[in-house]
Amino acid sequence: MIELEGVPELVDPVMVAAFEGWNDAGDAASTAVAHLDKEWKGEVFAALDAEDYYDFQVNRPTVWLDGGVRKITWPTTRLSVVRVGGDKPRDLVLVRGIEPSMRWRSFCNELLGFAHELGVELVVILGALLGDTPHTRPVPVSGVTSDADLARTMDLEETKYEGPTGIVGILQEACTHAGVPAVSLWAAVPHYVSQPPNPKATLALLNRLEDLIDLRIPLGELPEDSRAWQLGVDQLAAEDSEVAEYVQSLEEARDTADLPEASGEAIAREFERYLRRRDGGGPATQPGGHATESGDAASFLRDGPGGRPWPSKPQLPEADAETGTDDEGRDEGSDDTPKGSSDPKDSSED
């Protein structure tokens, strides 16, 4: 049942969703939505019934004490509203939860029911995947949609993916069939630095979201965390010559692929973001989040032979965001399913 009592009438609402699990490498996507909720003090107005969608042997409830009283928190998906003022007020409906274990069609229909009742004009779904991308370069973020018209008007890729998919792909297709404009934003997380958190990928998703919906997002400590994270990984990678050589090979491949794009539109987009933040009184975001501070990333790199940090290069087939995984690309969190891909530009689905 959808109950929206107490929810105010929203202004040009956009629904932003992210789900832990298969589609959330490094927890980058779910952390991005959590950041929006924290910075704008979101108010939860609804939660889906956990028993309808989750296998509690896969996603366990947790027990905790509140003033000596034992309470249980059930894994579920919650919806909150944030009201954004300013010259261009626009409200956001934030959806944050875990990829459901069952009844995905009913799950999507319930979310679309909320979107319809709230007058949502656009649904943006955030995802993150594992890829062959170096941690020293700006995080690649691709935007895809199933709507050809939306792809043209918003400068997005029209997805051509075929194969297994996750809840991000299912929700986007449900939106398309319901006539609700929907976009998926995918950030590529280096496969050799797969453990969460990954503030650099979270920052990249928020920057791309900011461009997409034309709304200045307060970044808080994310730029500082991103620089510290990168420096920590730099230090660990430098301790092993094989790791350093592998990262260098990724850098060369990335620079060669991106050379034609390192001008024109890409530069203009970064400059526009700088001006928007300067005019808004906030600090300019340094593209790429280059490391300038110390940070401890010892838990990020996988252990290789002898216990030394070592990013074993995966033998990946050509795959999409929903299917590609590395040799160990399992979700160590809630559902023990693959959550990665090899190349966001070639493989981003929705």
Side-chain angles (χ1 to χ4, degrees):
M1 176 182 292
I2 298 176
E3 298 180 1
L4 299 178
E5 295 182 6
V7 178
E9 183 175 351
L10 304 182
V11 178
D12 298 331
V14 173
M15 177 177 281
V16 181
F19 304 95
E20 299 174 17
W22 203 77
N23 304 127
D24 192 24
D27 290 352
S30 57
T31 301
V33 174
H35 177 85
L36 296 174
D37 192 72
K38 177 183 177 182
E39 290 294 322
W40 277 319
K41 298 178 174 58
E43 298 181 3
V44 175
F45 67 87
L48 277 58
D49 190 339
E51 291 202 12
D52 288 342
Y53 305 113
Y54 295 100
D55 179 347
F56 298 139
Q57 290 183 323
V58 175
N59 298 291
R60 298 272 177 178
T62 57
V63 180
W64 54 287
L65 293 175
D66 181 15
V69 178
R70 294 176 66 81
K71 294 187 176 181
I72 298 176
T73 298
W74 297 93
T76 188
T77 294
R78 294 177 174 83
L79 291 84
S80 59
V81 170
V82 296
R83 315 218 65 182
V84 184
D87 296 335
K88 296 181 179 179
R90 165 165 257 181
D91 298 330
L92 301 181
V93 179
L94 304 180
V95 179
R96 181 160 60 107
I98 306 169
E99 182 177 66
S101 306
M102 62 196 81
R103 304 182 69 225
W104 284 17
R105 286 177 291 186
S106 297
F107 180 87
C108 292
N109 287 337
E110 190 164 354
L111 290 180
L112 285 171
F114 284 109
H116 175 73
E117 291 296 324
L118 294 168
V120 167
E121 300 179 349
L122 175 69
V123 175
V124 182
I125 315 165
L126 306 183
L129 52 94
L130 299 180
D132 292 331
T133 183
H135 72 278
T136 54
R137 296 295 185 263
V139 176
V141 178
S142 57
V144 295
T145 180
S146 300
D147 188 322
D149 294 333
L150 198 62
R152 287 191 296 270
T153 58
M154 303 189 76
D155 190 25
L156 302 167
E157 300 176 33
E158 185 179 358
T159 181
K160 302 295 183 182
Y161 171 75
E162 296 178 298
T165 189
I167 193 60
V168 171
I170 297 299
L171 180 56
Q172 176 159 323
E173 290 307 308
C175 291
T176 300
H177 289 302
V180 178
V183 175
S184 296
L185 299 180
W186 288 95
V189 172
H191 67 85
Y192 58 92
V193 201
S194 60
Q195 279 71 28
N198 190 317
K200 187 172 180 178
T202 295
L203 179 62
L205 280 171
L206 291 175
N207 282 336
R208 189 72 163 85
L209 177 65
E210 184 178 69
D211 293 338
L212 185 71
I213 63 177
D214 192 23
L215 188 67
R216 182 180 180 275
I217 297 174
L219 298 178
E221 298 179 357
L222 270 177
E224 299 289 335
D225 293 342
S226 175
R227 288 188 284 269
W229 175 87
Q230 180 170 321
L231 183 56
V233 180
D234 284 343
Q235 293 170 342
L236 287 174
E239 294 175 0
D240 191 306
S241 60
E242 291 182 332
V243 174
E245 289 175 5
Y246 178 57
V247 172
Q248 183 178 2
S249 70
L250 292 179
E251 291 173 340
E252 292 171 353
R254 172 70 183 277
D255 292 344
T256 300
D258 287 353
L259 187 58
E261 301 178 6
S263 60
E265 184 178 343
I267 295 176
R269 184 164 53 246
E270 291 295 331
F271 186 63
E272 288 173 359
R273 182 180 296 123
Y274 164 77
L275 292 178
R276 181 164 57 241
R277 293 201 169 281
R278 186 192 65 175
D279 294 341
T285 302
Q286 182 179 1
H290 297 295
T292 57
E293 298 183 14
S294 62
D296 182 9
S299 63
F300 293 140
L301 299 180
R302 294 175 181 160
D303 291 336
R308 301 180 68 188
W310 158 237
S312 56
K313 187 174 182 180
Q315 300 299 317
L316 294 177
E318 291 185 4
D320 184 79
E322 302 292 357
T323 59
T325 62
D326 62 11
D327 293 334
E328 300 175 2
R330 310 290 294 179
D331 177 9
E332 298 177 359
S334 58
D335 55 8
D336 194 32
T337 53
K339 52 187 290 188
S341 175
S342 58
D343 189 335
K345 290 187 177 180
D346 296 334
S347 62
S348 292
E349 190 237 340
D350 339 289

